[in-house]
């Protein structure tokens, strides 16, 4: 989809669909459209037939002109980038349905960088579909796609940045949607090499033997029961000039999770191709860092494995040793994500970054606590929590902070036969898992963990969100990096 600004006023406005976003109970900003469109709007205002509530869409066929759409932003005092992102998404979804190839989108306020970025993101994300495995008949037309999205008086840098972030999230959606017979640890590593080549990154991939020799026995143990052996992926972006800091992004990459010997029930095994969603978000974010010209070093680290039952699988009661030397008693082989992350967090700590941020579909407990629309945020660093909450506010990907100071819960990490146990009481399970991960981060390194369980896969379509895998976390990580680089509002 082409994304670019168009200068106003312009007559006629380009496009098959002219969409005007309006505040609740206020149609005046769009009356400058003139002609029949203005007459239609006057009638609507008189009859109070359209309120402009957030997400409310009304299509008005205008004779001899493009179709006019009104989309509500809600109350003016509540305006946030997410409202614009959702409105742009609703417009694109309607355009796809009505086969309108070109859209002009107007806002009731000066777009600026932040709102231009949000509009571009919403348009690109709403136009997404994963249909590569669906055959079409000879007489069936190809899936309709919007060709261009013009933002009236849009800010060019904001539009370009939004397009980069939107395309990155769509790439994460693509990766997460691929089934386990297509994306294995080895093929995921191959895709990481492609990303590196296209984006100018450094890429190192370690095979299962190298993983074991590096002392990453936790990652190796999770993946050793499958014929598709584990891989450890290290992508690195290094700017041309001196880097202002070094940041490590860590993603859980379970290309399929059967639960291992503690096998999941059938209903819970469905969608487990998406247990790599954290890794997909990290790889997608890394695909965008060079285009954003970030002035810091960014390392993307993924432990990729397939957790399967087999004669060589790891077992309950096994004791394994992580990269930092700590021993772990296995209580449950379906608590495997924290094991893969443990070794990768040790490796990330050895890079001596200024921040480590990990993201994973880690616990059902977090999904139960927060539902389908918010991810859990865990960190002992108050300042880092504030930074990530601000990135979440800008991206529209909801985070909610959990406490990390419960010493009585922390005691449950202790095993009677090893340093740690990988699973415990089901109550407080998401906090327990985060506390477990903290054991593998060097104490002087600020660290945060995002448990995205539940947000990785949407069961409904709304705004710019399609059914299926969401790519959640990609834009929040990139917003966090942009904020650290001082580019959030530039």
């Amino acid at each position: 989809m082409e994304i670019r600004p168009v200068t106003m006023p312009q007559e006629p406005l380009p496009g098959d669909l002219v969409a005007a976003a309006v505040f609740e109970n206020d149609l005046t900003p769009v009356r400058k459209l003139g002609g029949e469109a203005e007459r239609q709007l006057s009638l609507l205002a008189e009859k109070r037939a359209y309120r402009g509530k957030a997400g409310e869409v009304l299509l008005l066929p205008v004779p001899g002109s493009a179709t006019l759409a009104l989309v509500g932003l809600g109350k003016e005092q509540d305006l946030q980038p997410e409202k614009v992102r959702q409105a742009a998404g609703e417009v694109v979804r309607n355009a796809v349905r009505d086969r309108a190839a070109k859209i002009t989108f107007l806002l009731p306020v000066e777009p600026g960088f932040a709102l231009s970025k949000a509009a571009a993101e919403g348009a690109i994300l709403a136009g997404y579909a994963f249909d590569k495995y669906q055959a079409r008949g000879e007489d069936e037309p190809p899936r309709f796609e919007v060709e261009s999205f013009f933002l009236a008086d849009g800010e060019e840098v904001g539009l370009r940045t939004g397009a980069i972030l939107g395309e990155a999230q769509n790439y994460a959606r693509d990766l997460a949607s691929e089934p386990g017979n297509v994306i294995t640890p080895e093929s995921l590593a191959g895709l990481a090499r492609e990303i590196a080549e296209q984006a100018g990154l450094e890429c190192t991939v370690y095979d299962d033997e190298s993983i074991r020799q590096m002392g990453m026995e936790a990652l190796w143990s999770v993946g050793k029961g499958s014929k598709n052996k584990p891989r450890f992926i290290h992508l690195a972006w290094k700017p041309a000039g001196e880097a202002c800091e070094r940041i490590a992004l860590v993603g859980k990459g379970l290309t399929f999770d059967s639960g291992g010997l503690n096998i999941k029930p059938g209903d819970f095994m469905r969608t487990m191709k998406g247990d790599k969603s954290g890794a997909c978000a990290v790889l997608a974010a890394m695909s965008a860092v060079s285009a954003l010209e970030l002035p810091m070093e960014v390392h993307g680290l993924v432990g990729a494995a397939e957790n399967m039952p087999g004669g060589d699988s790891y077992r309950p009661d096994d004791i394994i040793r992580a990269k930092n030397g700590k021993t772990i008693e296995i209580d449950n082989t379906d608590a495997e994500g924290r094991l893969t992350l443990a070794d990768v967090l040790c490796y990330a700590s050895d890079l001596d970054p200024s921040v480590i941020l990990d993201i994973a579909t880690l616990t059902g407990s977090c999904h139960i606590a927060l539902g389908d629309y918010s991810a859990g945020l865990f960190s002992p660093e108050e300042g880092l929590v504030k930074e990530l909450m601000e990135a979440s506010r800008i991206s529209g990907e909801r985070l909610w902070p959990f406490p990390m100071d419960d010493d009585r819960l922390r005691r449950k990490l202790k095993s009677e036969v090893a340093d740690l146990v990988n699973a415990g009481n089901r109550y407080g399970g998401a906090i327990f898992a985060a506390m477990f991960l903290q054991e593998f981060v060097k104490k002087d390194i600020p660290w945060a963990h995002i448990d995205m369980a539940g947000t990785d896969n949407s069961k409904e379509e709304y705004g710019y969100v399609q059914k299926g895998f969401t790519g959640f976390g990609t834009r929040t990580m990139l917003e966090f990096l942009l904020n650290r680089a001082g580019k959030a509002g530039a």
Side-chain angles (χ1 to χ4, degrees):
M1 185 188 301
E2 178 190 18
I3 304 282
R4 63 184 177 88
V6 60
T7 303
M8 293 291 290
Q10 186 172 130
E11 186 65 38
L13 286 167
D16 310 308
L17 176 66
V18 175
V22 296
F23 294 123
E24 191 169 334
N25 295 322
D26 184 7
L27 302 183
T28 54
V30 294
R31 292 189 183 178
K32 60 184 177 182
L33 292 172
E36 180 62 19
E38 183 173 335
R39 193 184 73 82
Q40 295 268 16
L41 286 169
S42 297
L43 289 173
L44 281 175
E46 288 171 12
K47 295 178 180 179
R48 300 183 67 82
Y50 177 77
R51 299 284 184 173
K53 292 183 179 179
E56 186 181 8
V57 179
L58 179 68
L59 295 178
L60 295 171
V62 179
S65 181
T67 298
L68 174 65
L70 296 180
V71 57
L73 292 171
K75 292 180 169 49
E76 183 173 1
Q77 62 267 31
D78 297 333
L79 183 64
Q80 293 280 349
E82 176 67 1
K83 294 287 181 72
V84 172
R85 194 178 293 115
Q86 292 281 358
E90 292 286 359
V91 167
V92 169
R93 286 176 55 215
N94 276 274
V96 170
R97 185 193 64 197
D98 293 344
R99 306 184 73 80
K102 297 179 180 179
I103 300 168
T104 295
F105 187 52
L106 299 90
L107 289 172
V109 295
E110 190 72 24
F113 175 85
L115 298 186
S116 294
K117 176 161 68 69
E121 290 169 353
I124 286 174
L125 292 169
Y128 174 83
F130 185 79
D131 60 358
K132 65 181 286 188
Y133 295 109
Q134 293 177 330
R136 291 184 176 274
E138 291 182 6
D139 299 329
E140 191 176 358
R143 182 176 68 86
F144 183 83
E145 295 183 16
V146 174
E147 296 173 9
S148 55
F149 181 89
F150 305 103
L151 178 63
D153 298 321
E155 203 273 345
E156 288 200 40
V157 177
L159 288 172
R160 184 178 71 85
T161 304
I164 292 169
L165 269 61
E167 293 292 356
Q169 184 166 345
N170 281 350
Y171 181 63
R173 288 165 148 179
D174 279 343
L175 290 183
S177 300
E178 290 285 0
N181 62 317
V182 174
I183 298 290
T184 63
E186 184 177 5
S187 63
L188 190 65
L191 290 170
R193 290 189 181 98
E194 290 180 14
I195 291 169
E197 186 175 346
Q198 293 165 6
L201 311 178
E202 296 176 8
C203 180
T204 308
V205 174
Y206 300 91
D207 64 14
D208 56 319
E209 275 306 309
S210 299
I211 289 168
R212 194 175 191 187
Q213 290 169 13
M214 292 163 65
M216 302 173 82
E217 189 182 346
L219 170 59
W220 178 79
S221 294
V222 170
K224 71 189 180 82
S226 172
K227 68 175 184 179
N228 297 310
K229 299 304 179 188
R231 294 291 185 270
F232 173 51
I233 300 164
H234 181 179
L235 288 173
W237 158 254
K238 296 178 180 178
E242 185 177 350
C244 62
E245 63 176 323
R246 180 182 299 131
I247 292 176
L249 306 178
V250 173
K252 173 188 171 184
L254 267 291
T255 59
F256 188 81
D257 179 22
S258 70
L261 292 178
N262 291 113
I263 198 160
K264 294 176 183 290
D267 288 347
F268 287 87
M269 210 181 298
R270 287 281 288 166
T271 74
M272 281 300 106
K273 64 180 181 180
D275 211 21
K276 61 184 182 294
S277 289
C280 297
V282 167
L283 294 178
M286 292 303 297
S287 75
V289 291
S290 61
L292 293 172
E293 299 176 342
L294 296 177
M296 74 265 287
E297 241 182 71
V298 186
H299 295 262
L301 308 169
V302 169
E306 191 175 71
N307 187 23
M308 298 288 282
D312 200 28
S313 295
Y314 78 125
R315 297 156 288 233
D317 295 335
D318 281 0
I319 297 176
I320 59 180
R321 189 179 299 274
K323 191 177 187 299
N324 65 352
K326 291 185 179 181
T327 55
I328 307 164
E329 179 190 10
I330 304 305
D331 174 82
N332 191 316
T333 63
D334 197 23
E336 84 303 323
R338 65 200 68 179
L339 298 174
T340 66
L341 288 171
D343 275 338
V344 182
L345 288 169
C346 293
Y347 183 100
S349 295
D350 290 342
L351 296 175
D352 196 27
S354 53
V355 174
I356 297 174
L357 174 59
D358 80 67
I359 183 167
T361 47
L362 203 64
T363 68
S365 297
C366 196
H367 190 181
I368 291 167
L370 295 178
D372 294 332
Y373 312 109
S374 299
L377 174 60
F378 304 79
S379 177
E381 303 287 338
E382 200 172 303
L384 186 53
V385 168
K386 287 180 180 177
E387 283 187 75
L388 286 163
M389 289 301 291
E390 174 62 12
S392 165
R393 183 192 68 80
I394 295 170
S395 72
E397 296 179 323
R398 290 172 53 89
L399 300 181
W400 189 258
F402 279 68
M404 291 282 289
D405 59 354
D406 188 335
D407 289 335
R408 294 185 67 83
L409 181 58
R410 190 176 294 275
R411 289 176 203 164
K412 297 182 184 297
L413 293 173
K414 182 67 178 173
S415 163
E416 294 183 3
V417 294
D419 297 323
L420 301 164
V421 63
N422 81 319
N425 192 298
R426 62 180 294 196
Y427 302 109
I431 300 173
F432 177 96
M435 289 176 169
F436 179 90
L437 295 180
Q438 190 179 6
E439 295 290 319
F440 303 93
V441 179
K442 289 182 180 176
K443 293 190 182 300
D444 58 342
I445 300 175
W447 157 82
H449 159 63
I450 296 174
D451 189 337
M452 62 183 289
T455 62
D456 64 310
N457 192 358
S458 179
K459 301 175 183 65
E460 59 183 315
E461 185 178 276
Y462 58 93
Y464 57 86
V465 178
Q466 307 288 356
K467 285 184 181 179
F469 290 98
T470 62
F472 184 97
T474 305
R475 287 183 300 106
T476 297
M477 286 189 289
L478 290 171
E479 290 290 356
F480 172 75
L481 296 175
L482 286 167
N483 283 340
R484 299 283 290 206
K487 288 190 165 193

